[in-house]
Amino acid sequence: MGKIIELKLKILAKLILKKYQPKIIGITGSIGKTSTKEAVYAVLKNKYRVRRSIKNYNNELGLPLTIIGEKAHGRNIFAWTLVFLRAFRLIIFTDKNYPELLVLEMGVDRPGDMDYLLDIVKCDVGVLTYIGTVHVEYFKNHGELIKEKMKLIDSLSENASAVINYDNKNTQEGLSEIKTQKISYGLDEGADLRASKIRNHYISEKNSRNLTGISFILEFKNKEFLVKLPDVLGAPALYSALGAAGVGLALGLSLKEISAGLKEYKSPKGRMRVVEGIKNTVIIDDTYNAEPESMRTALNTFKNIPSAEGARKFAVLGDILELGDQSVELHQNIGKIVHKAGIDKLIVVGERARDIARSAEEAGMKVDNIFCFPFSAEAGLFLQDRIRENDMLLVKGSQGARMEKIVKELMAEPLRAEELLVRHSREWIKK
């Protein structure tokens, strides 16, 4: 049944695109797709009718559903019939409110995934975020993964625009070969679009519990503009904002318009969001997913956040999945970073994450400060007794590690879990 539904959705989506001809912004990469999508939406929504992918609608099912404007319905045949009828209605009649712009995540798990998606959409702007090592187990090597994701950029016409993360060494060398219009973004010198003079903002004294956001100077072609991002934290948010700024520039927006839009950007659930914890603790919730590079970035961001006198920093890290035969080595690299970051207590969850613990101990972290648990629920209960006032916790792991359960166990307002945390809707609670 699944393949039949996918084929029907694909045909209907293509017919809808042919009729309405919206501009399409496609976003791919390993890290930051969803956050960049939300930032792009914030930049564009005040000027255009915009629709963006919801949840993880970035595959052969989710992408056409976004084009149609519907949700998935599992095995409910009646609900799927209604989806098809609504799609036919869009094709037969004209909806004057159909979006002018579609912002679509384009995920890649296996070879050929991007080809399938590009057979449905032709992008006017292609965004390439950071390509890391996630999903390498389904590819022969890392180069094959990069090649698959680069297909989005390679598919762009001469009149389209490519917006590419310049700081990603995996793709930097190929920038000169891109024939379409392009805007590179990043923190490194050499990027067309840069963030400089980055500052954390606090209500009063430099204590992470008073964090109100970050600001930076947006630089483009000898022009500068101040950008403020409320309620966000760390380099991932900067890259998302820069990627969105690149899309705005590609579509003709001014730096002033882009800055105004970014003020409304909210980091998605589970992406470096500050959550108030029990006992007046601070939780950095980065539980949406994990990849070695995003884990490294999160730990370095955590390292540089000032804490109250006497407060301790806990790194609560779960398995990083889908790493194939590189899993042990990549987890061990994280353990070394934990030790260098000066983390006071390391708590790991899952069998793979034990390699983080072993490596941290070998690097010099005291064994008395390292704790291993098979499941997130056990780690959450353990931490309840261990944490004290002003302690800070970074919680991160792959989706399968379900690290958000730890955040719920430790958050000051657990009744707001569905509002504040990832994977706390009805469909996830039973899992």
Side-chain angles (χ1 to χ4, degrees):
M1 185 179 85
K3 292 298 180 182
I4 295 173
I5 289 175
E6 285 176 16
L7 179 60
K8 289 181 177 180
L9 289 174
K10 180 179 182 178
I11 294 170
L12 292 169
K14 292 175 75 170
L15 289 171
I16 290 170
L17 292 178
K18 184 177 180 180
K19 177 174 181 176
Y20 292 94
Q21 297 186 359
K23 286 186 179 295
I24 296 175
I25 296 97
I27 303 173
T28 195
S30 300
I31 302 172
K33 292 190 301 295
T34 300
S35 299
T36 302
K37 174 197 69 181
E38 293 299 324
V40 169
Y41 178 75
V43 166
L44 300 179
K45 68 184 179 67
N46 292 327
K47 189 168 183 177
Y48 300 98
R49 293 193 307 276
V50 188
R51 176 185 296 160
R52 85 280 207 196
S53 307
I54 61 170
K55 300 181 180 179
N56 60 341
Y57 279 28
N58 62 7
N59 57 16
E60 63 274 8
L61 190 70
L63 185 137
L65 281 172
T66 302
I67 293 168
I68 297 168
E70 292 290 338
K71 297 179 181 179
H73 293 284
R75 297 183 176 274
N76 189 330
I77 298 298
F78 175 74
W80 279 116
T81 301
L82 291 179
V83 170
F84 297 140
L85 289 174
R86 289 167 187 150
F88 279 120
R89 183 180 178 85
L90 282 173
I91 295 166
I92 296 169
F93 303 100
T94 299
D95 183 355
K96 295 181 179 179
N97 294 317
Y98 192 82
E100 299 170 279
L101 296 176
L102 294 173
V103 184
L104 306 176
E105 277 191 57
M106 302 176 73
V108 168
D109 289 329
R110 293 172 172 80
D113 283 354
M114 186 59 74
D115 294 315
Y116 187 95
L117 300 180
L118 290 173
D119 189 41
I120 301 174
V121 299
K122 185 176 180 61
C123 296
D124 298 279
V125 181
V127 182
L128 186 62
T129 67
Y130 197 96
I131 297 181
T133 52
V134 71
H135 301 314
V136 294
E137 69 174 328
Y138 300 116
F139 292 85
K140 293 179 181 178
N141 52 56
H142 195 229
E144 290 295 314
L145 171 69
I146 296 171
K147 184 178 179 181
E148 185 72 20
K149 291 180 182 288
M150 281 295 294
K151 287 178 180 178
L152 170 60
I153 304 302
D154 295 337
S155 73
L156 299 174
S157 69
E158 292 183 1
N159 295 324
S161 298
V163 179
I164 301 175
N165 186 324
Y166 180 82
D167 297 352
N168 188 356
K169 307 306 179 186
N170 289 323
T171 57
Q172 194 178 94
E173 293 180 0
L175 285 175
S176 60
E177 299 176 9
I178 297 172
K179 297 179 181 179
T180 189
Q181 302 174 65
K182 59 180 177 288
I183 298 174
S184 62
Y185 67 89
L187 308 183
D188 293 350
E189 291 187 14
D192 299 321
L193 186 62
R194 291 188 64 228
S196 64
K197 300 179 181 177
I198 302 159
R199 291 184 56 206
N200 286 332
H201 287 266
Y202 302 84
I203 296 173
S204 54
E205 62 183 280
K206 286 199 170 185
N207 183 317
S208 59
R209 290 174 60 193
N210 296 321
L211 185 67
T212 61
I214 56 179
S215 69
F216 63 93
I217 299 296
L218 184 64
E219 301 178 3
F220 183 70
K221 291 185 176 179
N222 298 318
K223 294 182 180 179
E224 295 184 350
F225 210 91
L226 177 65
V227 176
K228 294 182 179 180
L229 300 176
D231 304 319
V232 300
L233 183 65
L238 287 173
Y239 283 114
S240 296
L242 288 170
V247 173
L249 289 168
L251 295 176
L253 274 66
S254 67
L255 292 182
K256 183 177 181 180
E257 290 173 317
I258 290 167
S259 176
L262 286 173
K263 283 184 180 180
E264 300 178 35
Y265 165 62
K266 299 292 182 184
S267 183
K269 297 176 183 178
R271 276 89 161 185
M272 295 299 287
R273 293 181 69 165
V274 180
V275 176
E276 185 179 352
I278 59 174
K279 302 181 182 178
N280 291 321
T281 56
V282 179
I283 304 169
I284 308 300
D285 175 17
D286 201 26
T287 57
Y288 176 75
N289 212 343
E291 192 270 354
E293 183 62 26
S294 69
M295 188 79 84
R296 181 191 68 80
T297 300
L299 284 164
N300 286 335
T301 299
F302 190 48
K303 170 187 175 182
N304 294 322
I305 298 174
S307 56
E309 185 177 350
R312 302 167 299 171
K313 289 188 175 181
F314 289 67
V316 189
L317 309 178
D319 287 341
I320 308 174
L321 305 177
E322 301 177 344
L323 297 179
D325 57 11
Q326 298 182 63
S327 180
V328 172
E329 178 185 355
L330 293 172
H331 280 87
Q332 289 174 341
N333 290 342
I334 298 300
K336 296 173 185 176
I337 294 169
V338 167
H339 177 62
K340 289 181 181 178
I343 300 299
D344 297 295
K345 306 287 182 181
L346 172 63
I347 290 82
V348 301
V349 177
E351 189 60 36
R352 296 172 183 83
R354 286 180 179 272
D355 287 315
I356 298 176
R358 296 186 188 103
S359 178
E361 182 182 351
E362 290 173 2
M365 191 171 187
K366 292 183 179 179
V367 67
D368 291 345
N369 293 326
I370 302 173
F371 306 90
C372 303
F373 297 91
F375 304 108
S376 57
E378 297 174 357
L381 291 173
F382 171 82
L383 283 164
Q384 276 191 344
D385 294 330
R386 290 285 177 143
I387 58 176
R388 62 191 186 214
E389 187 172 5
N390 291 326
D391 282 345
M392 298 176 60
L393 301 92
L394 169 68
V395 188
K396 186 171 180 62
S398 282
Q399 176 178 298
R402 301 302 306 274
M403 300 298 283
E404 73 279 359
K405 292 182 179 181
I406 296 177
V407 180
K408 183 179 180 181
E409 196 72 41
L410 301 177
M411 67 191 298
E413 300 179 273
L415 294 179
R416 297 181 64 195
E418 185 172 352
E419 172 193 349
L420 298 176
L421 307 185
V422 70
R423 292 184 289 273
H424 270 79
S425 59
R426 291 181 181 178
E427 62 194 273
W428 278 99
I429 293 299
K430 296 179 181 178
K431 296 183 181 181

